[in-house]
Amino acid sequence: MKFKYKRLKKDQKSFQDILLNPRRDRRILANVPDKEAIRNSIDRRGKKVLEDYHGDPNAFIKSKKAGIRYIMETDVKVICKSEKSNSIFKVKSLDISTTGILLELKDEKQLDIISNANSIKLEFKILSGSMPEGYEMNVKIKGNKARDSITKQEKIICGIEFIESLAQYSNRTKDRYVLAISSLLLLFISIFIILMRAESIIYFKFNKWIYLYSIIAAVFLLSRYLFGALYKPMPIDVDYTPGVTIIIPCFNEEEWIERTILSCINQDYPVDSLEVIVVDDCYNDNSVEKIKETIDKLSNEGERFDVQNRIKYFVQEKNLGKREALCRGVLNAKHDLVVFVDSDSFLDPFAIRNLVQPFKDPKMGGVSGRTDVANTYTNNLTKMQSVRYYIAFRIMKAAEAYFDAVTCLSGPLSCYRKQIIMNNMNVWINQRFLGQKATFGDDRAMTNFVLNGHRTSYQDTAVCSTIVPNRYKVFLKQQMRWKRSWLRESIIAGKFMWKKEPFMAAFFYMGLFVPIAAPVVVSYNLVYVPIVHNIFPTTFLLGLLMMALMMSFAQMFFRKSTTWIFGMVFCIFYEGVLLWQMPIAWVTFWKSTWGTRMTPSDIEAQRKKEKRKECSILRKKGENIYEK
């Protein structure tokens, strides 16, 4: 049987991902500070550069993000009022930002009406996925004509500037009500869970182990949300810009690697303090050609950005794994802080500036940024993951950061002190567990090395977005891989976490116990009790519902996104499917396949699967498989 990699590649891309589509700036490195000051202090949008915002750097960031234009084609109802007459007509939008919208008019008559109007009101719907999460809504907003033009294709274009920004409009018409409703519901759910656990204490003597689990699970859950809510990110100190090397390990990512590289080099960070290293782990697609093409494109931006000295790439002679690729990047890094970025993840232009802030603490060893889902609106599976990612970072990691003990500095975006990695490099590369080589879980493994002697934190304002699986088959393989690495590294961390702050240590061991014991508890309540005692598990199901609602309403409270409902969907999916991966993970820890990308292990596994399938067909036909 001849195995074809191209067919696998085609199968993996059978679903087209839906991503945010910002209109590209004509300058590739639009966010990079110009050290030669060739640009003046005012850019083409009239916004001052960061140095003019010493009092409030967040104001600069907000002003930059406000100008991002996202391509959105939808119907817009234009209502114009003038002294002579009122006119209403519909046109198409071309793009939108938080401060204005670009319209394509049908004729010059519509342009004259807009130009002569005393009042302009627009009515339209912001489509899901066309702007960052939280902006999807119906809009009725006033504006003023900002500009107009006729394109070479003789299209009449008209720009409308909103009287108030969409953020202000949303806060006035939607957000305050969403915050009020979600906060009240979260309070109600918290009180309800506390009362349910009070019942567990009363009936504790009748089934000590089950009620003990219920109490521990409730304490763990409520504490995570409490400390997550209390968390605050480190503010930006514009004068603190330590040297940073971004390392991108790449394996068969020709589709996304250009976007990843551009997002890493196009950072609002001093040119002399940032470099990017790409390490390709023996590709079998066109990744290296894409890397070279991207670097050549960046080199044309001009010498003042020093691109040729700030970005380089290496190609491994053979596939050695992600850890080897990362270590090669670390060995060639010239700065004291190294940032690991996955090859299918894209950094916000201010990610690095925010990510380094906790390192002002000399005891800080590693920091994780926040990872959002880039392809949220592809299908229901990606929407579920979007909610799960946000809660996992904004609540769970934030709660751990409250105690300076984040247990996983996630692969899409994390920063370390270079010397810590150098000190643990050999052990990390050659890590074995129960005699088997550890081929994944590199982020958790390195976090354990850091956490054992240093502080770890989370910076919510350092944001990246990543591509998540859009097919259930791939998603389940990813989750199994994560559970295997979680089990392995949690056992290792358990050996030293007791030395940490008492509250954090207690919460860590609770967090280890709850998911491991969950399959037994769920089986007992949903299978054993109904069959043996003929009792419907109302209380248990109610507890699961409260857990699902808490996740959904936390998403609503913090993000104000319409995806909040998928928090409930995810919890149901978790209890019905993902939960049962835990016992399987215990007995399959030795597997080395990734599932989300075609590593040599995955290719070999696919070969064997194809071979078994072919043999099965031959058996059904009664042919001699040994002759084949």
Side-chain angles (χ1 to χ4, degrees):
M1 179 191 70
K2 184 178 180 181
F3 175 82
K4 293 186 177 181
Y5 169 73
K6 288 185 178 180
R7 186 173 68 183
L8 285 176
K9 183 178 171 185
K10 183 179 179 180
D11 290 342
Q12 282 197 316
K13 298 180 181 178
S14 57
F15 293 100
Q16 186 65 39
D17 285 308
I18 298 175
L19 280 70
L20 275 176
N21 191 12
R23 192 173 292 280
R24 291 191 175 186
D25 195 295
R26 67 173 182 268
R27 301 166 299 178
I28 299 177
L29 301 179
N31 295 293
V32 178
D34 185 358
K35 67 177 183 179
E36 295 182 7
I38 293 177
R39 299 177 193 161
N40 58 34
S41 60
I42 305 295
D43 70 13
R44 62 190 175 90
R45 293 186 182 89
K47 307 297 183 183
K48 293 186 177 181
V49 294
L50 182 59
E51 285 72 12
D52 293 329
Y53 285 85
H54 276 287
D56 184 12
N58 290 324
F60 168 76
I61 294 175
K62 288 180 181 179
S63 71
K64 290 288 287 185
K65 291 186 175 182
I68 299 176
R69 295 156 59 194
Y70 300 92
I71 295 175
M72 184 184 76
E73 297 181 1
T74 189
D75 291 329
V76 180
K77 184 177 181 180
V78 183
I79 304 171
C80 295
K81 294 182 178 180
S82 62
E83 295 178 357
K84 296 181 179 180
S85 63
N86 299 333
S87 300
I88 301 175
F89 52 88
K90 284 188 177 182
V91 296
K92 289 284 186 181
S93 67
L94 296 177
D95 63 43
I96 186 172
S97 71
T98 62
T99 57
I101 192 169
L102 192 64
L103 306 177
E104 181 181 344
L105 306 183
K106 294 179 181 178
D107 49 45
E108 292 189 16
K109 181 180 178 181
Q110 291 181 341
L111 180 59
D112 290 338
I113 293 173
I114 292 175
S115 299
N116 297 320
N118 296 327
S119 171
I120 302 173
K121 186 177 181 180
L122 306 178
E123 296 182 6
F124 58 93
K125 181 179 181 180
I126 299 179
L127 306 176
S128 297
S130 59
M131 292 188 74
E133 281 193 62
Y135 279 105
E136 54 272 22
M137 58 183 167
N138 292 318
V139 178
K140 295 181 180 180
I141 195 169
K142 293 182 178 180
N144 293 316
K145 189 185 114 173
R147 63 186 179 89
D148 64 77
S149 63
I150 299 178
T151 67
K152 293 180 179 179
Q153 294 78 24
E154 296 186 353
K155 292 181 179 180
I156 302 173
I157 307 300
C158 180
I160 303 293
E161 182 180 14
F162 301 137
I163 298 295
E164 58 182 338
S165 71
L166 288 178
Q168 294 170 324
Y169 176 85
S170 181
N171 182 60
R172 179 172 59 83
T173 61
K174 183 191 76 167
D175 293 353
R176 64 178 63 182
Y177 303 110
V178 170
L179 286 172
I181 293 170
S182 57
S183 57
L184 287 173
L185 289 172
L186 284 170
L187 178 63
F188 170 79
I189 292 169
S190 300
I191 294 173
F192 194 89
I193 291 174
I194 292 171
L195 292 175
M196 289 181 68
R197 294 297 70 89
E199 181 188 49
S200 298
I201 296 173
I202 295 172
Y203 294 103
F204 185 78
K205 62 182 179 180
F206 295 107
N207 195 326
K208 296 180 180 179
W209 293 111
I210 294 299
Y211 285 119
L212 177 63
Y213 176 87
S214 298
I215 294 169
I216 291 175
V219 171
F220 174 75
L221 180 67
L222 293 176
S223 68
R224 298 298 84 186
Y225 281 90
L226 172 62
F227 289 112
L230 294 175
Y231 160 84
K232 291 184 179 180
M234 285 280 290
I236 292 177
D237 177 357
V238 294
D239 296 320
Y240 182 71
T241 54
V244 175
T245 298
I246 299 176
I247 300 170
I248 309 170
C250 177
F251 181 77
N252 292 349
E253 285 289 1
E254 63 174 292
E255 182 177 8
W256 305 115
I257 189 60
E258 178 181 8
R259 183 168 178 168
T260 301
I261 294 172
L262 291 176
S263 74
C264 289
I265 199 70
N266 188 26
Q267 287 290 306
D268 185 273
Y269 206 76
V271 170
D272 297 334
S273 299
L274 181 70
E275 69 168 343
V276 176
I277 298 176
V278 186
V279 183
D280 190 278
D281 194 24
C282 192
Y283 65 101
N284 49 29
D285 66 351
N286 297 317
S287 293
V288 171
E289 286 77 5
K290 201 68 178 178
I291 293 169
K292 292 178 181 177
E293 177 186 321
T294 303
I295 294 176
D296 289 341
K297 185 187 298 184
L298 287 167
S299 298
N300 294 331
E301 278 293 283
E303 294 182 2
R304 66 181 184 276
F305 296 117
D306 201 21
V307 171
Q308 292 183 335
N309 293 321
R310 294 201 303 129
I311 183 168
K312 50 191 171 184
Y313 71 96
F314 301 95
V315 180
Q316 303 281 65
E317 294 181 1
K318 63 178 181 178
N319 182 267
L320 298 172
K322 186 176 180 181
R323 298 188 192 198
E324 290 273 5
L326 288 169
C327 287
R328 184 165 183 182
V330 171
L331 291 171
N332 286 277
K334 67 180 181 181
H335 296 301
D336 293 331
L337 293 180
V338 292
V339 172
F340 293 165
V341 175
D342 282 347
S343 53
D344 58 355
S345 299
F346 323 119
L347 304 192
D348 177 88
F350 304 93
I352 299 301
R353 187 175 287 277
N354 279 284
L355 189 63
V356 301
Q357 298 305 314
F359 286 97
K360 289 196 288 185
D361 177 359
K363 295 182 180 179
M364 188 61 64
V367 177
S368 174
R370 189 181 91 214
T371 301
D372 290 339
V373 172
N375 53 334
T376 296
Y377 293 98
T378 300
N379 54 32
N380 289 339
L381 175 60
T382 56
K383 291 175 185 177
M384 281 196 296
Q385 293 177 81
S386 179
V387 179
R388 188 208 181 183
Y389 266 69
Y390 189 78
I391 298 300
F393 282 85
R394 181 58 188 86
I395 299 297
M396 302 306 174
K397 276 194 192 338
E400 293 177 338
Y402 191 83
F403 300 97
D404 287 330
V406 174
T407 55
C408 180
L409 303 174
S410 300
L413 177 60
S414 55
C415 185
Y416 305 86
R417 292 196 187 275
K418 177 183 174 181
Q419 193 57 49
I420 297 176
I421 298 177
M422 297 290 289
N423 294 342
N424 296 280
M425 187 175 290
N426 289 333
V427 180
W428 189 42
I429 291 175
N430 299 303
Q431 182 188 16
R432 305 185 79 84
F433 184 72
L434 298 181
Q436 298 293 326
K437 183 173 176 60
T439 58
F440 44 72
D442 49 276
D443 49 3
R444 284 190 176 274
M446 180 50 67
T447 302
N448 277 343
F449 291 126
V450 178
L451 196 56
N452 197 10
H454 303 79
R455 295 173 180 170
T456 57
S457 191
Y458 164 69
Q459 187 73 340
D460 186 66
T461 51
V463 183
C464 80
S465 56
T466 192
I467 302 296
V468 299
N470 57 27
R471 294 187 300 158
Y472 285 94
K473 183 178 179 180
V474 178
F475 172 68
L476 291 174
K477 287 182 178 181
Q478 179 204 61
Q479 295 302 301
M480 181 62 74
R481 185 180 82 240
W482 285 3
K483 283 180 174 61
R484 290 178 185 132
S485 64
W486 177 84
L487 283 167
R488 181 186 73 222
E489 299 305 328
S490 294
I491 291 172
I492 295 172
K495 297 177 181 178
F496 61 81
M497 283 301 293
W498 59 272
K499 301 176 184 178
K500 296 291 181 179
E501 202 276 336
F503 276 110
M504 180 60 209
F507 293 138
F508 171 81
Y509 292 112
M510 284 182 187
L512 179 59
F513 169 71
V514 169
I516 290 177
V520 177
V521 174
V522 172
S523 298
Y524 175 84
N525 283 281
L526 297 185
V527 180
Y528 178 82
V529 170
I531 293 176
V532 176
H533 299 288
N534 197 29
I535 299 174
F536 188 78
T538 304
T539 303
F540 183 76
L541 291 175
L542 197 57
L544 294 181
L545 176 62
M546 292 299 105
M547 179 182 70
L549 289 173
M550 180 162 278
M551 174 181 271
S552 287
F553 292 136
Q555 173 81 354
M556 181 190 290
F557 180 85
F558 286 106
R559 203 158 204 187
K560 309 171 190 67
S561 170
T562 54
T563 58
W564 67 270
I565 190 67
F566 287 92
M568 296 181 63
V569 178
F570 174 78
C571 287
I572 295 171
F573 185 77
Y574 180 87
E575 295 295 332
V577 180
L578 299 181
L579 180 70
W580 308 105
Q581 288 185 323
M582 187 62 71
I584 298 173
W586 273 109
V587 296
T588 58
F589 69 90
W590 45 268
K591 285 197 172 184
S592 58
T593 53
W594 278 63
T596 54
R597 62 186 65 202
M598 297 312 297
T599 66
S601 297
D602 290 85
I603 293 175
E604 181 61 28
Q606 187 70 20
R607 280 199 184 100
K608 291 179 180 180
K609 182 178 179 180
E610 293 285 340
K611 183 66 176 178
R612 287 194 299 269
K613 185 177 180 180
E614 183 178 323
C615 291
S616 176
I617 294 173
L618 292 175
R619 286 193 189 97
K620 289 179 180 179
K621 292 180 178 180
E623 298 182 25
N624 189 334
I625 61 174
Y626 298 103
E627 292 180 359
K628 298 292 180 181

